[in-house]
Amino acid sequence: MKVLIVGSGGREHALAWKIAASPRVSEVFVAPGNAGTALEATNVAIAATDQPALIRFAQQHQIDLVVVGPEAPLVAGLVDNLQAAGIAAFGPSAAAAELEGSKVFCKNLLHTANVPTAAYQTFRRGEDAARYIKDLYPESDASVPVVVKADGLASGKGVIVCSTRREALDAIDRIASKREFGEAGKELIIEERLIGQEASVLAITDGATILTLPAAQDHKPAYDGDQGPNTGGMGAYCPTPLVDEAMMSRIESDILVPVVHAMKRARRPFRGVLYAGLMLTAAGPKVLEFNTRFGDPECQPLLMRLESDLVDILEATTHGRLDQIDPPRWSERPSICVVMASEGYPGDYETGRVITGLDRAAAIEDVKVFHAGTRLVDQQVLTDGGRVLGITATGNSISGAKLKAYQAVKEIRWPGAWCRKDISDKALRS
Ligand code: AMP
Ligand code: GLY
């Protein structure tokens, strides 16, 4: 079988690594890939947004399965267009990917399906949103525990968690007037700020059968102790003890099953990865958001633990026969991924720094270094993004895996490299 993976992040490196390990697969291509995917597969210089070129490549090379990693091409209809050209593709249609592409669509669907989520209001105009806050909180020094979100895609950054009235009004201004997140800010949501621990529960579904993967926990804020601005995710581990078996059944029955049904009823049947970002509140699990793809970095620790052939699962999903395969096997050993980032991320950062120590890190047992924002120039690996590497390790325990991952982090250097030092500590505390 020949497989084409679309994307260039840590998730796509992990997918390439796992898919290349399948005995059924003869060739793996990644478009456009990074310096890490080049070690597992053949990189193809086609952007994830260049649909005509991707379709042409898949036809010319007789690709048997295309796996689409990131959200933007899914929302733009890449899977629909590949299928229309007769090419099997893993991932939701554009109509189904709207669950991630529009937070307003997602909230309204959750509301209709009676799925627990934060109370919310949607606005088209910044003035109306500001008036709403001012009417609700007339005191200028009021504590205002809300979250302001741009409707559309913003690489995890269009979400602003607020505590004060000033912060809320400022967030509305940034999204609606300054348009910091561009078109994504055409509509905005103000929602109740929930309190609790976060968990990522990913499920693979063909629209009928739902296969839930072990729960993971991401670390969205940039700095230790969950301080600082939101990022795409600074690290993750799996499984998280925050979601025990009883909690998982509740998440399946109260959240995943009703959402898959609601999508079917809305004539947007969902096929692919349904990723529930959850807050585990005192009143039970509530949905923060849905993503329609593997999480990055959750994908890295998840795939480190998967013992079954990923290609069997992806293919069965694509062909609507997920009920016919054996349930996947998972290693008992927990895993963790620590993201190493460029100086300045999630704000502006420079690229092109030489990364050293990759071989020493990779030589450590139970460690796999997944590349995210990297590129290969003259045999040197250079930084090429905000999130640069995902150092992933397994161990006999979460703390054992953590130790290994940070041991590998120490080997890797470039000017300005940094990472959170507390990935997985929330598990150890719980
Ligand atoms: P989202 O992209 O919607 O998942 O939001 C990104 C991050 O913002 C989440 O992972 C949470 O840390 C935080 N967040 C989003 N919505 C809420 C909420 N209603 N209450 C508290 N935190 C939230
Ligand atoms: N790790 C969060 C995301 O993939 O959106």
Side-chain angles (χ1 to χ4, degrees):
M1 241 179 113
K2 290 189 195 174
V3 180
L4 168 65
I5 298 165
V6 177
S8 61
R11 163 186 49 218
E12 287 75 26
H13 187 183
L15 286 168
W17 169 72
K18 194 69 194 162
I19 289 170
S22 166
R24 301 180 50 206
V25 170
S26 56
E27 229 176 334
V28 184
F29 299 94
V30 188
N34 58 38
T37 59
L39 303 171
E40 327 282 348
T42 307
N43 283 353
V44 184
I46 302 174
T49 46
D50 190 349
Q51 295 200 17
L54 290 168
I55 293 167
R56 223 176 304 125
F57 180 89
Q59 284 171 329
Q60 279 166 358
H61 290 77
Q62 291 163 340
I63 299 293
D64 299 290
L65 179 66
V66 179
V67 181
V68 183
E71 57 276 19
L74 292 170
V75 170
L78 178 57
V79 167
D80 311 63
N81 295 330
L82 283 163
Q83 281 169 353
I87 302 153
F90 176 86
S93 64
E98 205 172 345
L99 200 54
E100 173 165 5
S102 166
K103 289 186 190 290
V104 172
F105 172 81
C106 177
K107 290 297 274 195
N108 291 341
L109 184 111
L110 294 176
H111 182 72
T112 315
N114 219 358
V115 171
T117 187
Y120 69 103
Q121 291 281 336
T122 65
F123 301 91
R124 283 182 189 278
R125 287 156 32 108
E127 304 95 270
D128 296 341
R131 166 130 332 103
Y132 171 79
I133 291 290
K134 287 178 181 163
D135 286 350
L136 215 54
Y137 303 96
E139 310 290 333
S140 64
D141 60 350
S143 139
V144 179
V146 299
V147 182
V148 185
K149 303 184 174 185
D151 172 59
L153 295 181
S155 307
K157 294 171 210 156
V159 172
I160 304 162
V161 181
C162 308
S163 305
T164 64
R165 195 172 102 140
R166 164 158 293 286
E167 283 170 358
L169 294 174
D170 187 53
I172 292 166
D173 187 51
R174 287 174 57 195
I175 294 173
S177 311
K178 298 208 181 91
R179 283 292 178 99
E180 267 182 43
F181 309 101
E183 277 295 283
K186 229 169 44 192
E187 270 190 88
L188 65 83
I189 294 179
I190 298 180
E191 65 179 44
E192 158 202 17
R193 181 170 167 181
L194 300 173
I195 296 171
Q197 286 268 14
E198 281 181 56
S200 305
V201 173
L202 282 69
I204 297 184
T205 179
D206 59 6
T209 302
I210 301 174
L211 194 155
T212 312
L213 315 186
Q217 190 174 34
D218 189 10
H219 297 66
K220 289 254 178 73
Y223 312 130
D224 285 17
D226 284 344
Q227 301 298 308
N230 264 328
T231 69
M234 294 303 298
Y237 68 93
C238 161
T240 172
L242 298 167
V243 178
D244 59 14
E245 232 172 277
M247 176 67 82
M248 191 57 112
S249 313
R250 189 166 171 190
I251 291 165
E252 285 172 351
S253 62
D254 295 358
I255 295 172
L256 297 173
V257 170
V259 165
V260 170
H261 275 164
M263 290 298 284
K264 211 192 286 180
R265 276 200 308 270
R267 304 235 149 61
R268 299 169 187 248
F270 195 96
R271 267 189 191 175
V273 180
L274 191 58
Y275 160 154
L278 304 170
M279 188 73 92
L280 308 175
T281 74
K286 294 192 181 186
V287 174
L288 292 175
E289 63 164 349
F290 266 103
N291 294 322
T292 59
R293 48 170 174 86
F294 282 107
D296 188 344
E298 291 94 328
C299 184
Q300 292 84 312
L302 268 167
L303 293 188
M304 273 294 262
R305 296 186 55 226
L306 179 64
E307 289 174 344
S308 311
D309 191 335
L310 179 63
V311 174
D312 289 344
I313 301 170
L314 300 179
E315 201 185 30
T317 305
T318 306
H319 298 294
R321 45 175 178 75
L322 205 46
D323 59 336
Q324 290 167 32
I325 62 166
D326 290 334
R329 283 169 288 104
W330 299 94
S331 158
E332 290 294 322
R333 291 159 62 84
S335 57
I336 161 178
C337 172
V338 177
V339 170
M340 293 181 76
S342 293
E343 187 173 8
Y345 176 80
D348 295 337
Y349 53 82
E350 283 176 17
T351 61
R353 302 275 152 85
V354 178
I355 306 172
T356 59
L358 287 166
D359 291 341
R360 284 195 301 278
I364 299 171
E365 203 188 357
D366 297 329
V367 168
K368 176 77 189 171
V369 177
F370 291 117
H371 292 222
T374 67
R375 85 192 126 107
L376 198 60
V377 177
D378 300 333
Q379 306 307 316
Q380 283 192 315
V381 179
L382 306 185
T383 66
D384 197 33
R387 295 190 295 173
V388 177
L389 299 170
I391 316 303
T392 311
T394 60
N396 290 330
S397 60
I398 292 175
S399 51
K402 180 186 174 192
L403 214 64
K404 280 269 170 67
Y406 281 101
Q407 194 188 335
V409 164
K410 275 204 205 111
E411 299 292 344
I412 298 174
R413 301 248 151 95
W414 74 85
W418 63 280
C419 65
R420 275 183 66 157
K421 300 287 188 300
D422 64 345
I423 303 303
S424 81
D425 287 0
K426 289 190 272 195
L428 306 176
R429 253 184 276 126
S430 83

